[in-house]
Amino acid sequence: MTGREARSGESGGDRIRVGVLISGRGSNMEALARACRDPAFPATVAVVVSDVPGARGLEVARGLGLDASLVERRQYADRDGFERRIRQELQERHVELVCLAGFMRVLSGRFVEAYRERILNIHPSLLPAFPGLHAQRQALRHGVRYSGCTVHFVTAEVDAGPIVLQAVVPVEQDDTEETLAARILEQEHRLYPEAVRLYAEGRLRVEGRRVRILPAD
Ligand code: GRF
């Protein structure tokens, strides 16, 4: 049973509160925020947290009228303090689901455990192929015919948690890293809100490495 399922009785079908962690451009955060503007969408963005001061995503979030905070790593003596501050930001807004959207820091096992099966990430490859940085470059260098993107639950191991959804993007003959990344990004913007919807509807059940998608009511 997921955390969402366990609580959905109490929350009476309210929209779930999402915290989005970013470090840069924030286009996935924006896609989530735009999906959440639909009153029929079962989630709402409660806060956007960036660890990078000049992140474009912070401006985008504020432009969309979202609550946006900066939590800079260098202002804390250690990762523990930095993560405690992020957790405080999330707790203050009663965040139930954390979405990593281009957040460039690896969260500690402690953080991940505190939000067990309540953190999602999006990655621009068909995991488990090409985890880590520059996934599109890795895909091109490897010569794969198909790449894509993956939404997965976050575990302590980077880009390795149970897979929620994937979208396939064919690699074209003349693709550069930029053209491939742009076509993958289009799919990311569709896939991430879909995964959040499934989570919010209590339709994701983690069974070991596999995620079962339950039918809609
Ligand atoms: C996306 O490609 C995402 O898959 C990866 O980092 C990039 C973030 O882009 N994790 P944006 O900040 O959401 O525009």
Side-chain angles (χ1 to χ4, degrees):
M1 181 174 276
T2 67
R4 176 60 184 161
E5 284 174 287
R7 272 190 318 283
S8 58
E10 297 158 33
S11 56
D14 287 347
R15 307 173 90 201
I16 72 152
R17 298 176 64 76
V18 176
V20 187
L21 307 192
I22 62 166
S23 299
R25 185 175 54 181
S27 71
N28 278 289
M29 176 277 299
E30 184 173 358
L32 288 173
R34 291 195 184 281
C36 289
R37 281 185 162 179
D38 176 353
F41 194 77
T44 184
V45 175
V47 67
V48 174
V49 178
S50 172
D51 67 316
V52 173
R56 175 184 170 272
L58 266 181
E59 286 317 302
V60 173
R62 291 187 177 127
L64 290 167
L66 299 173
D67 196 352
S69 301
L70 172 66
V71 181
E72 264 188 278
R73 170 67 182 88
R74 66 183 172 91
Q75 304 213 324
Y76 300 86
D78 51 24
R79 179 164 80 167
D80 205 40
F82 167 68
E83 289 191 348
R84 256 188 282 127
R85 178 70 205 157
I86 294 179
R87 283 175 61 181
Q88 200 179 331
E89 296 283 340
L90 300 173
Q91 279 159 6
E92 277 170 7
R93 274 81 165 201
H94 307 287
V95 164
E96 301 170 70
L97 174 68
V98 179
C99 288
L100 308 186
F103 185 64
M104 298 304 286
R105 292 190 180 271
V106 176
L107 294 169
S108 68
R110 177 189 286 207
F111 190 108
V112 170
E113 209 33 59
Y115 284 88
R116 192 175 145 75
E117 289 173 13
R118 293 196 294 139
I119 312 176
L120 294 174
N121 181 43
I122 187 149
H123 183 77
S125 76
L126 293 175
L127 290 171
F130 316 127
L133 294 175
H134 308 299
Q136 303 92 337
R137 188 184 304 170
Q138 294 184 57
L140 280 178
R141 286 196 178 150
H142 199 90
V144 293
R145 296 287 185 201
Y146 294 93
S147 189
C149 50
T150 303
V151 177
H152 64 92
F153 280 106
V154 171
T155 55
E157 200 185 334
V158 175
D159 297 332
I163 290 169
V164 177
L165 292 177
Q166 293 188 302
V168 174
V169 174
V171 178
E172 305 293 347
Q173 200 83 353
D174 300 323
D175 261 336
T176 61
E177 198 177 331
E178 289 71 32
T179 58
L180 178 60
R183 288 205 317 290
I184 292 175
L185 197 62
E186 269 178 43
Q187 294 304 311
E188 292 184 41
H189 295 164
R190 186 183 62 75
L191 204 68
Y192 216 172
E194 189 48 35
V196 169
R197 171 197 292 282
L198 291 170
Y199 180 93
E201 290 175 348
R203 293 172 57 199
L204 300 179
R205 178 165 300 162
V206 182
E207 299 174 349
R209 277 220 50 87
R210 299 181 74 180
V211 178
R212 182 181 295 277
I213 299 178
L214 304 175
D217 287 337

